[in-house]
Amino acid sequence: MIFIFLIAFFTGFLSKLTDLIEEHKMNLPLIVSRISGIIYGILIAYVISVSSELSALWIAVVISTIITKKIDSLGHYLGILSMLISLIFFGITEINYYFLILFLAASIAEEIINNKIVDAGKIKNKLLNELMKLRPLLEITAFIVSFISGLWIIWFGLLSFDLGYILIDKIKTKFNL
């Protein structure tokens, strides 16, 4: 199980690294984002192929990022392509379709809220605005699902992903990359 959490951590780290290089001009060569995109795609496919508990969450997040047009750079296109190709070889484990629909709804709602409300500066309350920047909807949903189902790997898997995602952002800021 710890291995899955490490995979989730590195998936978050590499997906945000790809984003930072491609869209936020992190001071690294573009080839790094292309390679990190390919690797995170393979890691996503691996999780989808081996973890029936996390497969619905991972698939929902991928679908929501495609629907909301967050996949918008070559590094991310390569991530999705490498995920799809890897799934052909790895296969897909069992998927809980109820969880898939729930996570998909939460993930799409979070993307819409972030794009249309938070990023647009429409929340005037500073504390609420800062809370919403953390994008808590999917995490709250995963926590509730984990609490009700007893499948804590779901919430801890998402938490691991988020820690990797946040860490690379902090590294970029701290070292002014």
Side-chain angles (χ1 to χ4, degrees):
M1 188 177 308
I2 291 190
F3 185 67
I4 287 292
F5 296 147
L6 284 171
I7 296 293
F9 175 86
F10 284 110
T11 303
F13 187 94
L14 293 170
S15 65
K16 184 62 175 179
L17 177 63
T18 301
D19 191 51
L20 289 171
I21 294 169
E22 297 263 353
E23 297 175 29
H24 302 282
K25 308 301 179 212
M26 187 175 188
N27 192 19
L28 289 173
L30 278 176
I31 189 69
V32 174
S33 74
R34 310 304 160 59
I35 293 168
S36 64
I38 291 167
I39 296 170
Y40 87 67
I42 294 167
L43 295 177
I44 290 170
Y46 178 78
V47 171
I48 291 170
S49 73
V50 300
S51 177
S52 59
E53 300 89 357
L54 287 173
S55 62
L57 175 59
W58 258 230
I59 291 168
V61 170
V62 169
I63 292 170
S64 75
T65 57
I66 292 170
I67 289 172
T68 59
K69 300 179 180 165
K70 291 291 185 177
I71 305 299
D72 55 0
S73 65
L74 184 56
H76 289 307
Y77 293 137
L78 291 171
I80 296 300
L81 180 63
S82 68
M83 179 199 73
L84 293 172
I85 292 169
S86 296
L87 284 173
I88 292 169
F89 294 102
F90 296 161
I92 298 174
T93 189
E94 180 182 332
I95 300 168
N96 182 318
Y97 291 101
Y98 297 113
F99 289 175
L100 178 64
I101 292 167
L102 182 62
F103 291 138
L104 184 59
S107 190
I108 289 172
E110 189 155 71
E111 291 295 343
I112 292 169
I113 290 168
N114 192 55
N115 291 342
K116 305 281 185 195
I117 298 172
V118 177
D119 289 349
K122 293 185 178 180
I123 300 176
K124 301 304 177 201
N125 181 297
K126 189 173 181 173
L127 180 61
L128 181 58
N129 190 54
E130 290 302 311
L131 175 65
M132 293 310 293
K133 282 182 181 178
L134 295 174
R135 305 173 66 120
L137 187 57
L138 188 59
E139 283 76 4
I140 291 168
T141 304
F143 184 85
I144 292 168
V145 167
S146 294
F147 183 78
I148 291 170
S149 70
L151 299 171
W152 286 101
I153 188 174
I154 296 170
W155 187 70
F156 283 113
L158 183 57
L159 180 64
S160 298
F161 176 94
D162 287 344
L163 289 173
Y165 193 90
I166 291 166
L167 178 64
I168 187 61
D169 202 29
K170 297 295 182 193
I171 289 170
K172 178 190 181 294
T173 303
K174 181 166 178 73
F175 294 103
N176 199 26
L177 296 173

